[in-house]
Structure formats: C-alpha cells, structure tokens
Amino acid sequence: MIIPKSKEEIELMRESALVVSRTLGVLAEHVKPGVTTLELDKIAEEYIRSQDAVPGFLGLYDFPNTLCMSPNAQVVHGIPNDEPLKEGDIISIDCGAVKNGYYGDHAYTFKVGQVSPEVEKLLQVTKESLYQGLREFKIGNRVGDVGYAIQNYAEKHGYGVVRELVGHGIGKTMHEDPEMPNYGRRGRGKKFVEGMVVAIEPMINMGSKRIIQLKDGWTILTKDGLPSAHFEHDVALVDGKPQLLSTFDYIYEALGISSEEENEFKKVTNTTKA
C-alpha cells in the first residue's frame, strides 16, 4: 500500500534526506587512494549523529555498518572493511539516516583518483539514467514508466540493468510500497499519487545484468566481474511533479564541480514581493 505524505511530512523527510546529502558531501573530501571503507564508515556515523540523526542502515535487517560500500564490480550492499581504496577504483557509497522519525536514503558512485574513459562513461550514463527516470515520476504515470526510461537509456549505451534489486517507497520505514524497478514497460504498474515519496536508484553494469551474492549474505557482485555504478535520489510527488528531497550539491561543492543537473527537480521558492 502506497502511503502518501502531507506537505509537512515531506518537509520533515527533506531534512532527513539532506542529512544524507551532507554526509556524502563530507565523505567526498575523504574518498582518495589509501583510505579504507571502514575509515569512511566511521566518519559518516560521527557526522550523522552530530546532526541530531541516527544512521539508518546500522542494525537494519542486522546490517553491521553505517554505510553500504561497494567498489568496482560490487553492485550494492558491500560491507566496509580494512582494504585501502586504490587509484582508478570506483566506490558506490549508499547512506541512510533517520531524523524526525523519517528515513533519508541515497547514494553516489565516486571516482578514486583518475578512472578509465570506459568507467567514466559508465558513471555518466548511470547518473543520466537516474534523471531520465525522475522525469517520468509524475501524475498520470505509473511505476513502469520510470523503469522503462531508465532501462531504455542504459541499454541504449550497451549496459546491463540489474533486475533483482530495485528502488522503493520511503517514509517512517526504509522500504515502503511501491517497489521501483529500473526496468519495465510503459503504462504498467502502480499509479503515482500526490504526496508519495520514493527512492529511485539505477544499478547499472558495464557488462551483463547478471549478479551473484557473496557468502556474507550482503555483498552483491556482477557475475562477469565488470564494474557497476549506482546513483540514488529521494524524490517526492508535489503538485503532480517530481521534487528532489536529496541533492548531490554538497558532493559537487566538495569536488569543485559545477552542475545544473538538478535544477528542474528542485523546490520552487516564491520570491515575489508585494
């Protein structure tokens, strides 16, 4: 059952999402060759707690850490460890936080130093596919419209779209209805309704869509060992249109990147003077 949120609840969820956004911005300054994912995990937990929030993943379904840290061929749900990141790696950092009783949850795949042109393209296309999906999250559409947009864009570039893992509704619990696959058919699936909030998160593989799971019960890998990328935003349906609750702006500020990619999805502030 879809649980629509009031505008007041959406603003509370924006606060939760922005805790995650700021956490990813802090981590952006530390993602470098030689740092371990456990070190990054500690930085994230300390920062989240400093924001009058608590880590959303720690203990959820018995997950042992604050962050899901998934380098290179790991798709999602990687467990932080003592292995240092290396020049040329990529690392998906998926982060959750709870504030005011609501969850925020989003992710970004970072470059560790310089990466190959092939990997650079994978990251670019995966992030672009996220925005393709966001544009279809509007009144009159259905779940399949978002999935189709993501799938069509990624497969057009020759990439594999993971089937077994999907986005989701979000609110007072991490995972709510509806599931938001990154594949689908236009006009199929549940209808979007005003006030719903979802996490849209393309997981796109450079090669095959097929995946395997490690014996730790969490880590998901590409079956062919090729890299995978993952980007995620929290988005609300407000006045019939998609409105981002999360942002990559803090990441871009830390990395010195100028971007207008989110502008069409940002909350419009009325600046008209009487």
Side-chain angles (χ1 to χ4, degrees):
M1 181 181 69
I2 295 173
I3 306 173
K5 312 300 189 294
S6 68
K7 290 194 175 181
E8 291 76 17
E9 288 179 301
I10 286 172
E11 289 310 307
L12 291 175
M13 292 194 68
R14 191 188 307 277
E15 291 184 28
S16 303
L18 289 177
V19 170
V20 179
S21 300
R22 292 193 296 271
T23 303
L24 292 174
V26 169
L27 293 171
E29 300 179 3
H30 297 274
V31 176
K32 298 175 182 177
V35 72
T36 71
T37 49
L38 265 179
E39 289 170 337
L40 295 173
D41 191 75
K42 182 179 179 182
I43 291 168
E45 179 176 357
E46 290 176 351
Y47 182 80
I48 290 169
R49 294 189 187 280
S50 78
Q51 302 299 297
D52 297 320
V54 296
F57 294 171
L58 184 61
L60 183 69
Y61 312 126
D62 295 324
F63 188 75
N65 292 88
T66 293
L67 301 173
C68 292
M69 306 285 280
S70 309
N72 301 321
Q74 292 186 19
V75 181
V76 287
H77 301 164
I79 298 173
N81 57 42
D82 285 322
E83 185 175 345
L85 295 175
K86 304 185 299 296
E87 180 78 20
D89 283 347
I90 56 172
I91 177 83
S92 164
I93 302 183
D94 194 354
C95 180
V98 184
K99 185 170 184 173
N100 303 316
Y102 291 91
Y103 278 84
D105 167 32
H106 73 115
Y108 191 90
T109 301
F110 292 87
K111 295 181 288 186
V112 183
Q114 298 295 316
V115 301
S116 71
E118 293 80 11
V119 169
E120 185 85 54
K121 182 182 176 184
L122 172 67
L123 299 183
Q124 177 184 340
V125 169
T126 303
K127 182 148 62 70
E128 289 171 351
S129 77
L130 169 59
Y131 295 109
Q132 294 288 331
L134 283 170
R135 291 186 184 100
E136 299 300 318
F137 182 60
K138 57 188 177 182
I139 291 295
N141 278 4
R142 296 174 179 263
V143 166
D145 294 298
V146 170
Y148 174 84
I150 293 170
Q151 178 185 7
N152 183 60
Y153 192 79
E155 290 183 348
K156 182 172 67 177
H157 289 85
Y159 297 138
V161 179
V162 173
R163 300 297 202 270
E164 295 87 345
L165 303 155
V166 299
H168 51 90
I170 188 169
K172 289 186 176 180
T173 58
M174 174 66 77
H175 298 109
E176 294 184 355
D177 282 341
E179 290 189 344
M180 296 291 295
N182 298 305
Y183 60 94
R185 297 177 64 183
R186 292 188 186 277
R188 299 294 181 91
K190 292 185 178 181
K191 284 184 177 180
F192 297 138
V193 299
E194 180 73 12
M196 67 187 295
V197 181
V198 299
I200 298 176
E201 50 178 322
M203 289 157 272
I204 308 298
N205 299 342
M206 182 179 285
S208 168
K209 65 186 178 185
R210 300 180 69 186
I211 58 172
I212 57 174
Q213 186 175 45
L214 293 185
K215 292 181 180 179
D216 62 19
W218 284 102
T219 307
I220 303 295
L221 293 161
T222 59
K223 188 166 185 179
D224 58 15
L226 293 176
S228 182
H230 175 216
F231 292 88
E232 177 181 18
H233 267 314
D234 294 342
V235 58
L237 196 51
V238 179
D239 299 327
K241 298 178 181 179
Q243 186 180 110
L244 282 180
L245 305 184
S246 55
T247 179
F248 294 148
D249 284 352
Y250 296 102
I251 296 171
Y252 295 155
E253 182 179 356
L255 298 178
I257 296 171
S258 177
S259 173
E260 298 181 353
E261 68 191 19
E262 296 179 3
N263 287 0
E264 64 185 286
F265 307 107
K266 288 186 174 179
K267 181 181 179 180
V268 177
T269 303
N270 188 353
T271 57
T272 303
K273 294 182 180 180

